[in-house]
């Protein structure tokens, strides 16, 4: 265990697990903020790490309104490929542990920057498993496991004409502009319902995330480089309101200096250890 300043940056060991778990045991409200790293062990590429998407593609050529206006076919081709990649992935032990944690007790809010839908799939899997145990009735807690998806979802589309947003999961034929997905209601081109560089986040989602930050006793930050705003400020807002920060990341980040515990670990092993079996009877 190494203490640098006030931060205990530790390898992932039993003592660390116990100290992190004690923070969650004593917390009435827990905010969980995740980034691409929570899905890395599911096989979903991160953005900035080794093999990350932004190492292979230029963000401004694919994930901006200007790129879409310039070449919607190329942008849909990339998002269609990302959908195919994610379709072949499953929620990992970190997603499932977080879903069980949120469903099993009151006061947990999951906020994610990810658009891969894996937290939602973990929430549905947890609900189905709980319903199986309870003879088919889905417990209310399962809804708590659904995340706030700050940056939208690969599996939703928005109409560039009438603005309607809806689930959209069919394969995209990007061979020509004419074949791109169009709105059944107004005929305008559809776009991926994700937040692009230079776009604002949904103020209602952002407000809910910062409200959760203001109330949190503990903020668990998993798998984010904490360099993209405003998402990165959610953890610092929680800290400013008195929350203890627990970070899970193989690398240090700008949040490490304010973390009470910063685990140099991968999410799929560390997260189940520190939030697993916390379930208490949900009210
Ligand atoms: N477990 C935990 N963390 C991991 C793992 C793992 N197995 N593998 C990698 N990481 C960490 C990396 O060390 C890095 O700090 O996950 C982080 C991923 O950082 P980014 O690739 O920058 O992803 P993220 O922080 O989610 O990016 C934020 O930027 O490009 C935009 O909209 C995009 O939502 C994204 C936002």
């Amino acid at each position: 265990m190494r203490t640098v300043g006030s931060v205990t940056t530790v390898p992932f060991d039993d003592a660390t697990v116990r100290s992190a778990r004690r923070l969650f045991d004593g917390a009435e409200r827990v905010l969980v903020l995740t980034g691409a790293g929570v899905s890395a062990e599911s096989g979903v590429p991160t953005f900035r790490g080794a093999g990350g998407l932004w190492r292979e593609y230029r963000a401004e050529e694919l994930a901006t309104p200007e790129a879409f206006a310039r070449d919607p076919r190329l942008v849909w081709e990339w998002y269609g490929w990302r959908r195919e990649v994610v379709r072949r992935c499953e929620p990992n032990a970190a997603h499932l542990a977080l879903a069980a944690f949120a469903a099993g007790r009151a006061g947990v809010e999951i906020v994610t920057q990810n658009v891969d839908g894996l937290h939602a799939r973990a929430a549905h899997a947890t609900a189905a498993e709980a319903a199986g145990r309870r003879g088919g009735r889905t417990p209310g807690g399962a809804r708590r496991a659904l995340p706030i998806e700050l940056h939208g979802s690969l599996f939703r589309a928005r109409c560039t004409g009438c603005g309607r947003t809806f689930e959209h999961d069919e394969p995209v034929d990007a061979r020509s502009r004419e074949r791109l997905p169009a709105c059944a209601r107004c005929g305008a081109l559809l776009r991926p319902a994700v937040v692009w560089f230079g776009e604002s986040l949904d103020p209602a989602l952002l407000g809910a995330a910062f409200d959760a930050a203001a109330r949190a006793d503990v903020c668990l930050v998993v798998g984010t480089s904490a360099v993209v705003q405003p998402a990165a400020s959610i953890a610092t807002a929680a800290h400013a309101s008195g929350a203890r920060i627990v970070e899970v990341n193989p690398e240090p980040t700008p949040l490490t200096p304010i973390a009470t515990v910063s685990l140099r670990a991968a999410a799929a092993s560390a997260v189940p250890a520190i939030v697993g079996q916390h379930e208490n009877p949900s009210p």
Side-chain angles (χ1 to χ4, degrees):
M1 183 179 291
R2 191 164 60 86
T3 298
V4 177
S6 63
V7 181
T8 305
T9 299
V10 290
F12 167 46
D13 60 24
D14 290 349
T16 323
V17 171
R18 283 195 300 275
S19 61
R21 287 179 69 95
R22 275 195 297 273
L23 290 175
F24 293 115
D25 283 338
E28 190 178 326
R29 292 190 172 279
V30 176
L31 167 63
V32 182
L33 174 67
T34 69
V38 78
S39 298
E41 287 151 285
S42 293
V44 181
T46 62
F47 290 92
R48 296 170 182 82
L53 289 173
W54 297 146
R55 293 284 175 92
E56 291 183 63
Y57 301 92
R58 291 170 51 79
E60 51 275 16
E61 286 172 1
L62 293 162
T64 65
E66 295 75 18
F68 189 73
R70 186 171 56 243
D71 189 348
R73 197 200 57 71
L74 174 64
V75 172
W76 263 119
E77 187 175 35
W78 189 60
Y79 278 92
W81 169 77
R82 286 184 65 189
R83 274 185 184 172
E84 288 317 309
V85 167
V86 171
R87 263 198 202 90
R88 293 193 293 270
C89 301
E90 292 296 328
N92 64 51
H95 298 108
L96 294 169
L98 289 171
F101 181 52
R105 56 165 281 177
V108 179
E109 188 77 64
I110 299 174
V111 175
T112 188
Q113 301 170 82
N114 299 342
V115 297
D116 58 31
L118 290 180
H119 280 300
R121 282 172 57 187
H124 294 308
T126 300
E129 193 262 333
R133 286 203 310 263
R134 302 183 185 201
R137 188 174 49 78
T138 302
R143 275 189 300 281
R144 285 199 294 266
L146 289 171
I148 293 174
E149 293 176 316
L150 285 177
H151 294 166
S153 171
L154 286 174
F155 302 102
R156 286 197 290 277
R158 185 166 70 243
C159 176
T160 58
C162 63
R164 194 165 61 101
T165 298
F166 47 89
E167 298 299 315
H168 183 268
D169 188 8
E170 46 266 30
V172 172
D173 183 345
R175 286 173 298 174
S176 68
R177 173 83 171 65
E178 295 65 39
R179 288 185 170 96
L180 292 179
C183 178
R185 183 189 292 175
C186 74
L189 187 59
L190 298 182
R191 55 161 280 180
V194 298
V195 178
W196 282 330
F197 289 99
E199 293 187 319
S200 304
L201 278 67
D202 178 329
L205 296 182
L206 205 53
F210 277 99
D211 286 351
R215 295 193 303 267
D217 302 304
V218 176
C219 178
L220 170 60
V221 184
V222 184
T224 182
S225 58
V227 295
V228 172
Q229 296 299 349
S233 298
I234 292 168
T236 49
H239 182 256
S241 298
R244 311 288 287 277
I245 305 292
V246 177
E247 180 182 45
V248 173
N249 195 320
E251 303 292 332
T253 75
L255 294 177
T256 302
I258 63 169
T260 302
V261 179
S262 185
L263 286 151
R264 289 290 158 271
S269 48
V271 172
I274 60 179
V275 299
Q277 290 84 42
H278 266 263
E279 291 180 18
N280 51 40
S282 46

